[in-house]
Amino acid sequence: MGRLIIVSNRVNPPSSAGDESVGGLAMALAAALRGGSGLWFGWTGKTASAYSGQLKVERIGGVMTATIDLDEAGFCNYYNGYSNKTLWPLLHYRPDLAVYDRDFQHGYQLVNERFADALAPLVEPNDLIWIHDYHLIPLGRELRRRGFANRIGFFLHVPWPAAQVFVNLPEHRELVQALFAYDLLGFQIQDYLQAFEDYVVSQAAGRRTEEGMLSAFDRSVETGVFPIGIDAPEFARLARTQTARSSRERLIEATAGRRLIVGVDRLDYSKGMEERFLGFERFLADHAELRSKVLMLQIAPVSREQVLAYQEIRSRLDALSGRINGEYSDVDWTPLRYVNKSYRRDELAGIYAASCVGLVTPLRDGMNLVAKEYVAAQDSEDPGVLILSQFTGAARELDAALLVNPNSREEVADALRRALAMDRHERTERWQALYDVVSRNDVQAWRDSFVARLRATRGLAIAA
Ligand code: F6P
């Protein structure tokens, strides 16, 4: 049986259990490879003045990695440009923020070709190749052009939007056609797969075949829904470590007995933090009697800082948090703590455990692993309440959370009031239902189901 080769834009496996630099996706990919003979290929996260194609092969935290640097132009056009100024906003229903620029498109294509060239010498005939996310849509086609007949799968971590949103992209057809070079396309939830199928049928004269494949552009591809999960027992264990206990105690002391509401997100406009702050402000306005009894902590490490839309959301959040604190603070109380720093995962587990409410309200999110980690970190005897946006992939599985429309500050304020008033019996019942899902649909189940399905595909050269 061949190896599993995972390819993603950024390669950053955790070097230790509590590694602070690592988000949910990196944890999932590292977990998908650990213990096996596989390889994780992608970008180092660094740039060099000129592209060298030099491969760096090393084992990090038990995972074999092979990485390359980008050059400045690649960083600008492929990463900041096409990936994060064009595709990211479109895929998250923000066509108003999308920038269309041929240099971005060409840079995106070029980096995908370079990835294919750098990966090519590492691939053996029986290897399964699993490519991740919107940065690398053309990579499968580039490998095919270089003669690789391996099973190649693609998993999209972010939403696939409605066809009428996606057609704003000038080269929408070309990008979708590239997806038909894969053997298997995976989506987080059925809605995204359905939206993709709607596009294929309405814009590319495609169809669902009798064997259940999607057919267009003279090719057929298998499709499936594979909701990504976390390593729940491992995260629960992190929440019981000494580091987590200390961060929990530090926070309990700092909140002086007040009830803590917590949000943790990359600083991204898709995460709905502005709307969330407005919802919290509405809660403060509506409930004068509860004001000094609560405190909201929003952790938001900065992200993609060279992209204008990210600079703008940061300024707006700075202003909004200042305004809310100016309006409602007292000499001995500040309602909103807004922190742009990142924390170790074990510290985060302690912060989740110290809180009464986890407030996870993105405007759009492919899955949202913070919601799952919040559940895993809770004390089963006295758990906090998860408030979750209905526009996350996670909401499909975590329906025992309080689901809200994040655009409505009234709904967010009402959910906060309800969560803070919820008795222990209801909290425990809801938490148990959530934890059952989070531990059953975990990261191993995600990997195993995708890989088994990819292995079982009929392979290349399937004519429509
Ligand atoms: O989850 C979507 C995603 O783009 C991942 O592919 C990526 O690892 C994460 O967000 C963080 O983004 P970035 O690599 O741009 O910092």
Side-chain angles (χ1 to χ4, degrees), residues 261-277:
I261 300 159
V262 71
V264 177
D265 309 79
R266 253 186 334 100
L267 208 170
D268 193 301
Y269 51 82
S270 66
K271 302 294 183 183
M273 280 181 272
E274 220 175 337
E275 292 73 9
R276 187 180 313 168
F277 285 7

Side-chain angles (χ1 to χ4, degrees), residues 181-395:
Y182 291 99
D183 294 297
L184 173 62
L185 300 177
F187 297 85
Q188 299 272 24
I189 60 172
Q190 182 61 35
D191 302 38
Y192 309 156
L193 171 53
Q194 188 58 53
F196 180 71
E197 183 167 341
D198 290 347
Y199 174 96
V200 170
V201 171
S202 67
Q203 307 293 321
R207 66 191 172 90
R208 187 60 80 185
T209 67
E210 274 169 22
E211 302 81 51
M213 298 178 85
L214 256 190
S215 156
F217 308 103
D218 298 325
R219 291 199 44 81
S220 294
V221 64
E222 292 203 18
T223 59
V225 171
F226 306 90
I228 194 170
I230 62 165
D231 186 342
E234 168 59 14
F235 203 80
R237 187 194 67 75
L238 276 186
R240 292 190 299 269
T241 57
Q242 192 47 50
T243 310
R245 285 216 175 95
S246 310
S247 82
R248 181 178 176 186
E249 277 155 23
R250 193 175 143 208
L251 204 49
I252 289 172
E253 200 175 310
T255 52
R258 295 188 174 98
R259 320 213 32 225
L260 182 67
I261 300 159
V262 71
V264 177
D265 309 79
R266 253 186 334 100
L267 208 170
D268 193 301
Y269 51 82
S270 66
K271 302 294 183 183
M273 280 181 272
E274 220 175 337
E275 292 73 9
R276 187 180 313 168
F277 285 7
L278 292 169
F280 181 57
E281 185 182 40
R282 169 55 66 101
F283 169 83
L284 295 174
D286 289 353
H287 300 287
E289 74 291 357
L290 293 175
R291 261 178 221 164
S292 60
K293 298 193 171 64
V294 300
L295 192 148
M296 176 164 160
L297 170 64
Q298 175 65 53
I299 295 176
V302 289
S303 173
R304 305 175 188 167
E305 292 166 81
Q306 297 180 357
V307 176
L308 180 65
Y310 289 76
Q311 295 162 4
E312 290 177 346
I313 179 70
R314 188 174 184 187
S315 305
R316 290 201 300 276
L317 290 171
D318 286 348
L320 188 53
S321 56
R323 187 187 89 199
I324 294 170
N325 281 335
E327 175 79 22
Y328 290 102
S329 292
D330 211 330
V331 285
D332 58 350
W333 173 66
T334 314
L336 177 59
R337 285 198 192 159
Y338 172 52
V339 183
N340 290 133
K341 136 180 191 193
S342 59
Y343 288 84
R344 291 169 51 91
R345 295 174 60 72
D346 42 11
E347 288 177 313
L348 280 179
I351 292 169
Y352 296 147
S355 72
C356 298
V357 181
L359 194 51
V360 183
T361 56
L363 303 179
R364 295 281 164 181
D365 210 336
M367 174 52 66
N368 196 290
L369 295 178
V370 167
K372 296 188 172 183
E373 290 177 349
Y374 183 81
V375 170
Q378 297 308 303
D379 173 357
S380 58
E381 303 285 306
D382 190 13
V385 178
L386 177 65
I387 298 178
L388 181 61
S389 161
Q390 66 189 71
F391 301 126
T392 59

Side-chain angles (χ1 to χ4, degrees), residues 39 79 101 155 166-167 203:
L39 177 72
Y79 175 71
D101 181 327
F155 184 78
F166 196 66
V167 294
Q203 307 293 321

Side-chain angles (χ1 to χ4, degrees), residues 9-10 25 79 84 88 133-135 158 266 303-304:
N9 169 52
R10 210 186 268 280
L25 184 141
Y79 175 71
N84 290 326
W88 179 272
D133 233 355
Y134 60 102
H135 315 81
V158 299
R266 253 186 334 100
S303 173
R304 305 175 188 167

Side-chain angles (χ1 to χ4, degrees), residues 40-197:
W40 185 359
F41 174 85
W43 176 38
T44 52
K46 299 192 185 109
T47 51
S49 50
Y51 179 67
S52 70
Q54 183 80 43
L55 263 182
K56 187 169 167 194
V57 180
E58 62 190 327
R59 187 172 279 280
I60 307 175
V63 175
M64 193 51 110
T65 66
T67 50
I68 51 171
D69 291 342
L70 290 180
D71 63 351
E72 290 294 344
F75 180 63
C76 177
N77 292 321
Y78 152 81
Y79 175 71
N80 283 327
Y82 204 75
S83 296
N84 290 326
K85 290 184 188 167
T86 309
L87 289 180
W88 179 272
L90 265 188
L91 296 170
H92 289 86
Y93 283 83
R94 293 299 304 270
D96 56 312
L97 295 179
V99 179
Y100 307 109
D101 181 327
R102 286 241 168 103
D103 287 343
F104 293 172
Q105 192 202 346
H106 294 153
Y108 179 75
Q109 175 60 25
L110 178 66
V111 169
N112 271 273
E113 288 169 18
R114 284 176 173 168
F115 265 49
D117 288 334
L119 179 59
L122 304 174
V123 178
E124 289 163 18
N126 285 331
D127 290 341
L128 283 183
I129 305 175
W130 187 7
I131 295 171
H132 292 260
D133 233 355
Y134 60 102
H135 315 81
L136 300 175
I137 289 173
L139 182 55
R141 183 186 58 198
E142 291 310 316
L143 289 168
R144 298 288 185 224
R145 284 180 176 159
R146 283 156 184 74
F148 289 96
N150 301 58
R151 301 274 195 288
I152 310 180
F154 178 83
F155 184 78
L156 185 68
H157 289 260
V158 299
W160 186 276
Q164 284 311 314
V165 173
F166 196 66
V167 294
N168 282 290
L169 185 70
E171 54 286 346
H172 57 87
R173 253 183 92 83
E174 187 190 331
L175 210 63
V176 171
Q177 184 168 10
L179 284 167
F180 280 76
Y182 291 99
D183 294 297
L184 173 62
L185 300 177
F187 297 85
Q188 299 272 24
I189 60 172
Q190 182 61 35
D191 302 38
Y192 309 156
L193 171 53
Q194 188 58 53
F196 180 71
E197 183 167 341

